[in-house]
Amino acid sequence: MITPRFEVSQDDEFVIIKVRISNTRFSAKAVEMIADDDKFIFSLAPYYLRLRFSGSIVDDERAKAEFVPKEESILIRMPKMNKGEVFLDLDLPAKLLARTENSERKLPLIEEVGETNNVESLAQEAQNFDWEVEQVEQQPARLVPQFFYGFNNQYSNMMEVSLSNGNDINELSNPDKMDPDERINERLIKENLKFDPEYYANEYLTQKYFPQDSNIKQILCWENPIRIQHKNRSETEFTTEEHERMMDLPRKSYLVDNVRPLYYTIVCLLYGYLYELRQNEGELTVESGWTVGKLVPQLSCLDSQLIQSNNKTETNMLRVVAITMARRSLCYPLVRNFEMVTTVWDDVYCTLRCGSRAVLKALLACRELFRFHDIYYIYCNIWLNDLCAWTMNNASDTVLRNLGHELRKTVAEIKKREIVFEKILADDSEELEFVNLTDIEELAEISYSESIAASS
């Protein structure tokens, strides 16, 4: 059976469904329609459509269907059980198509098990949730090790083909055979190696003393449209193209072991995408997929844990996320500037505060950077397809908005001195030294002052 293209709207009394049946001979006798509480079924061979609404509909004498020849469509008007009720998300066709495991059990579209049983309880908890680092009991070693990654840690042995084709987003030496702590250790080592103090110092001095030679002020002043939306408290709207993208998402239920890593991954992806968007003042380039992939540790290092399981000093996972993304922002993109980091976090804040629809819109745009790439498509397969579907169907507005609020407070408390790298600073030394952004800026100021004095 073929799922037809369709559009859904509403008024106070009816849900109005336009089903397109191009290249099909219409026969009223062949049409079957069923209204069962929140479920609507349409059937006209070879088309079959099943939708689930947020409210209930009824099939009584008010129900009406008519064929519109010029539009090659059937216009159906199904009465609402409760007149005046507003049905939600009628402009999200993929969400209306989502399946439930058993309609009689009335399970949510996505059931989450574990520490948090469902989205409703997590949303209630979100009001006062402090996003602490979770304590995970160390599991006994397996006789045959298994290495999982990606959405809900449900993928394995999928990186080899991508690597053989030259995946330059990947930062791991052997991603299919590394446990979570090994991924973190290699990520931290690669960040320390990649960080260039001279690059950072040069950008710092150029911005401060030679602003005419730097476009950083212009980049920082660029106003992301999401800020305007947040300021005006306007609703997120989706384009026809975005609807088509949603229709391509997986239509399946997920048993999520722990939802927190999914929210942290959403934050990291939003940050990576919004960093690249601001870096190019609203434009995306052929290199945008690489930049976002490098910034996001869940992609480049398959690292959803972000902090070693034996780390007893850090208690706030949002702080871990913020520092991790700051470090990567000062290693990989073209623009490496701490003020840029804090500005992008404000963009992330505005997106989260606009709710799940705004988050989904950004994630869909981020997914497009990878979807048709010959090599980077793997990140859609292991992360973005599932995460977009999960966000559309089950991400909680309350949790996302609370997350934005808590994240903003956390970012505001992080100082330059806390962004630390291990580097070999002396040419004749092999010892690693800890260096932070404040140290680098102070050394840059001394060097600049000495050069001015020498030239005068």
Side-chain angles (χ1 to χ4, degrees), residues 17 85 99 150 152 185 215 239 259 270 292 308 315 332 357 407 422:
I17 309 159
E85 181 180 2
R99 302 182 60 166
N152 197 36
N185 289 333
N215 65 342
T239 65
V259 297
L270 288 179
V292 175
Q308 291 98 328
T315 60
Y332 296 99
R357 293 168 66 91
L407 188 62
E422 287 185 84

Side-chain angles (χ1 to χ4, degrees), residues 222-234:
W222 176 74
E223 188 166 26
N224 191 318
I226 195 64
R227 293 187 178 224
I228 301 173
Q229 179 181 337
H230 175 253
K231 181 179 179 181
N232 296 336
R233 300 181 182 274
S234 54

